[in-house]
Amino acid sequence: MAFCTNCGKELSSFTVVCPACGCEVQGRQAADSVRKFYVDITHAQTTKEKAYLIKNYPIPNTKEDIFEFMMAASSNVLREEEKEIYEAWLIKLEQTYQKAEILFSGDRDFKKIQQIYNNCIENIEAENQRKMNTFVFETALRNGIFGVGIVILVAAVIVDRTGGNASLMELAGGIVLIASAAGLVRRQAASIDYLVSAVIGLLMLWLASMFYNGSLVQLCAGIELIVTAVNYFKSRKHSTK
């Protein structure tokens, strides 16, 4: 049990302000190891050094110190952009929560630690969902021209199967898709974009089988796949320089 340093009133765990005199008492029992950890993290120069410090920090044993460390870990997990440091904080957050659960899960103050943990996990899941939605949207936006080419080829299949002449539509769809593949390096495409382009080439081959004479689409599909492969290796070469 702790006491207010200003008026001497007995305080329960995690009290932020003394109810008797209004003195701010948060952090009054922070262990030297916790403070040293903050200093070490602040002065760490590299990502690996920071991740190492986080992973190897010994979790405190007192409720007050665990509470303080949980707040720091949850805050850093949510705002960290470096993957290695983010994963280190997340692992340490889980370990700290598990230790708190083992040491004093029956204590009423454990609910505050549990609330910090649950809120953090909910925020992480929400942020991951937001990033996934953004990733899907941006990928679709970057590769929208592929969709245009495929729509043209599907329309060409319909025309061809109903007895019409779809040669110009076949050529137009093939040119659109080849041009899109050719522009991958120029628009600094991500790896997923090259994968999409490769799948489109395979889809073109499948659509070619739907035509009575799909040789033109097969030729365009082959060119599209070759262009995609060449641009992929070209981008990899540039990225290693």
Side-chain angles (χ1 to χ4, degrees):
M1 188 63 69
F3 299 88
C4 176
T5 56
N6 185 53
C7 68
K9 181 177 175 60
E10 190 176 274
L11 303 172
S12 62
S13 299
F14 311 141
T15 301
V16 177
V17 177
C18 175
C21 67
C23 179
E24 187 173 333
V25 294
Q26 178 65 21
R28 64 194 183 282
Q29 295 175 316
D32 289 340
S33 62
V34 178
R35 288 197 294 267
K36 183 179 183 300
F37 171 73
Y38 293 155
V39 172
D40 290 342
I41 284 290
T42 301
H43 289 90
Q45 299 296 316
T46 66
T47 296
K48 288 189 177 296
E49 187 180 353
K50 290 181 180 179
Y52 176 84
L53 288 170
I54 296 167
K55 290 178 182 177
N56 291 278
Y57 174 71
I59 301 169
N61 293 312
T62 67
K63 287 184 289 185
E64 290 81 6
D65 296 339
I66 286 180
F67 177 73
E68 181 180 350
F69 189 79
M70 282 286 289
M71 290 185 67
S74 62
S75 176
N76 280 282
V77 163
L78 295 174
R79 68 168 183 254
E80 184 56 59
E81 296 181 357
E82 288 285 349
K83 183 180 179 181
E84 189 174 355
I85 300 177
Y86 166 82
E87 291 176 348
W89 275 119
L90 186 58
I91 291 171
K92 190 57 67 173
L93 178 76
E94 292 280 356
Q95 291 175 346
T96 306
Y97 177 74
Q98 289 171 9
K99 185 169 186 177
E101 198 170 26
I102 292 171
L103 292 178
F104 33 80
S105 59
D107 195 300
R108 63 179 183 178
D109 289 325
F110 175 73
K111 291 183 178 180
K112 296 183 179 180
I113 293 175
Q114 190 175 44
Q115 184 177 7
I116 293 172
Y117 175 79
N118 289 340
N119 288 343
C120 184
I121 295 301
E122 288 176 6
N123 288 332
I124 288 172
E125 291 175 351
E127 180 63 15
N128 288 341
Q129 185 61 52
R130 185 193 67 79
K131 288 180 178 179
M132 177 57 69
N133 293 340
T134 301
F135 173 77
V136 171
F137 175 76
E138 290 180 349
T139 301
L141 192 64
R142 287 195 308 270
N143 297 288
I145 191 66
F146 282 125
V148 174
I150 290 299
V151 168
I152 294 173
L153 288 181
V154 170
V157 169
I158 295 173
V159 172
D160 184 74
R161 300 294 288 184
T162 54
N165 186 350
S167 298
L168 288 177
M169 295 178 70
E170 293 176 44
L171 182 60
I175 290 174
V176 168
L177 293 171
I178 292 170
S180 184
L184 287 169
V185 173
R186 186 179 64 255
R187 65 175 185 261
Q188 297 180 331
S191 296
I192 185 66
D193 299 323
Y194 288 97
L195 178 60
V196 169
S197 185
V199 170
I200 289 296
L202 296 176
L203 182 58
M204 289 174 70
L205 288 174
W206 178 76
L207 286 173
S209 67
M210 306 290 288
F211 290 91
Y212 287 116
N213 181 6
S215 57
L216 178 58
V217 177
Q218 287 178 344
L219 176 62
C220 290
I223 295 173
E224 197 271 352
L225 287 169
I226 291 172
V227 170
T228 298
V230 169
N231 280 339
Y232 174 74
F233 288 112
K234 188 184 294 184
S235 69
R236 295 282 294 180
K237 184 177 180 181
H238 288 168
S239 64
T240 55
K241 288 183 178 180

